[in-house]
Amino acid sequence: MHIDLFQYQISSKNSKASEQSRDLTKMATAVQENLPPVLDSKAEQPPLFDGTIRLYTCYTCPFAQRVWITRNYKGLQDKIKLVPLNLQDRPAWYAEKVYHVNKVPALEHNGKIIGESIDLIKYVDSNFEGPSLFPDDPEKKKFGEELLSYTDTFNRDVYTSFKGDPVKQAGAAFDYLENALKKFDDGPFFLGQFSLADIAYIPFVERFQIFLSEVYKYDITEGRPKLASWIEELNKIDAFKQTKTDPKELVEFYKKHFQAQQ
């Protein structure tokens, strides 16, 4: 009887934690915004280091999308201004005067320019107000860092499969996510609650799911119920939904980029 009661208490606690996480997600992502126009090679450079915090981004870049989601979730739409660039016709001033690496994302803050998407999502989470996106629990924090470190390997493995047989070659990468989602049971996300780990993966998983389904008829969620639930829950989060790319454009871009290499 004691065991049954203990199990009920754990289940009830996990359920409440999951509900609180969902409520926090709704509270943190209610802001809607009118997106600024994309800047191309003819566009004038915005002022630099004038006190405005700017996120140099591209609306269709998954790396930049990570920081965009983080900004949105923390409710920083009014504090961090988007500067969207056309990467196929990017302004010369961006590399010359803003970020010599000439990539997005980049953040203009406190008189400096910071790049690299994983570093940036950590920076935005640590240096700005809004709900925390990384847990204090040592075990979750350690696993979260492992997940963040694995993102490049995950992306490389799936991208590489596009040059061969994705149905056979990409499975292990998605199995990794399925198993990672089983580690904590106090919510549908990698670390239970929504976190930087989810933000690091979802821009790429979103693209992989659409492309593999459309072109190869491969459902990445088949036989992976945790992954299916994770994607479903993420699609309820406004901070992510506001950053999504048109699926048709996505498929055409991937077809052009990857199938042309075959």
Side-chain angles (χ1 to χ4, degrees), residues 58-90:
C58 170
Y59 291 143
T60 57
C61 172
F63 294 97
Q65 189 180 1
R66 288 169 166 170
V67 192
W68 189 8
I69 295 168
T70 305
R71 161 196 179 265
N72 289 357
Y73 189 83
K74 293 179 76 71
L76 300 170
Q77 288 89 336
D78 290 335
K79 179 159 283 192
I80 300 178
K81 302 301 180 183
L82 297 178
V83 182
L85 304 178
N86 180 340
L87 298 187
Q88 276 64 54
D89 184 27
R90 70 190 77 188

Side-chain angles (χ1 to χ4, degrees), residues 82-217:
L82 297 178
V83 182
L85 304 178
N86 180 340
L87 298 187
Q88 276 64 54
D89 184 27
R90 70 190 77 188
W93 49 256
Y94 184 62
E96 292 170 1
K97 300 179 180 179
V98 180
Y99 190 44
H100 68 89
V101 179
N102 204 22
K103 295 180 180 179
V104 293
L107 185 73
E108 176 187 335
H109 183 227
N110 283 346
K112 60 184 176 181
I113 301 292
I114 309 157
E116 297 300 325
S117 62
I118 295 295
D119 292 340
L120 269 179
I121 60 176
K122 291 179 178 180
Y123 182 88
V124 171
D125 189 40
S126 300
N127 289 275
F128 294 90
E129 68 272 15
S132 174
L133 282 163
F134 217 62
D136 294 324
D137 178 82
E139 185 180 2
K140 289 187 175 184
K141 187 176 290 186
K142 180 182 177 183
F143 190 57
E145 290 291 353
E146 289 176 12
L147 286 166
L148 292 178
S149 297
Y150 187 74
T151 55
D152 286 344
T153 300
F154 170 78
N155 293 335
R156 185 186 65 241
D157 288 350
V158 180
Y159 280 130
T160 301
S161 78
F162 292 168
K163 301 174 184 178
D165 183 351
V167 177
K168 293 180 180 178
Q169 294 174 251
F174 296 112
D175 287 342
Y176 174 88
L177 299 189
E178 177 71 12
N179 291 328
L181 286 162
K182 295 175 181 176
K183 187 164 179 71
F184 300 106
D185 61 359
D186 57 340
F189 304 110
F190 283 122
L191 306 181
Q193 73 274 35
F194 182 64
S195 74
L196 297 181
D198 305 294
I199 291 172
Y201 282 90
I202 190 55
F204 295 90
V205 174
E206 173 197 15
R207 287 160 172 76
F208 297 154
Q209 182 183 30
I210 293 169
F211 180 67
L212 290 170
S213 175
E214 180 70 22
V215 177
Y216 295 95
K217 310 305 176 190

Side-chain angles (χ1 to χ4, degrees), residues 23-38:
D23 289 344
L24 184 58
T25 297
K26 291 175 183 176
M27 289 169 58
T29 59
V31 177
Q32 297 288 335
E33 66 178 323
N34 294 318
L35 298 179
V38 175

Side-chain angles (χ1 to χ4, degrees), residues 8-32:
Y8 170 79
Q9 288 171 334
I10 292 294
S11 175
S12 176
K13 183 179 179 181
N14 289 345
S15 176
K16 287 178 181 177
S18 182
E19 288 174 8
Q20 288 171 350
S21 178
R22 283 194 292 269
D23 289 344
L24 184 58
T25 297
K26 291 175 183 176
M27 289 169 58
T29 59
V31 177
Q32 297 288 335

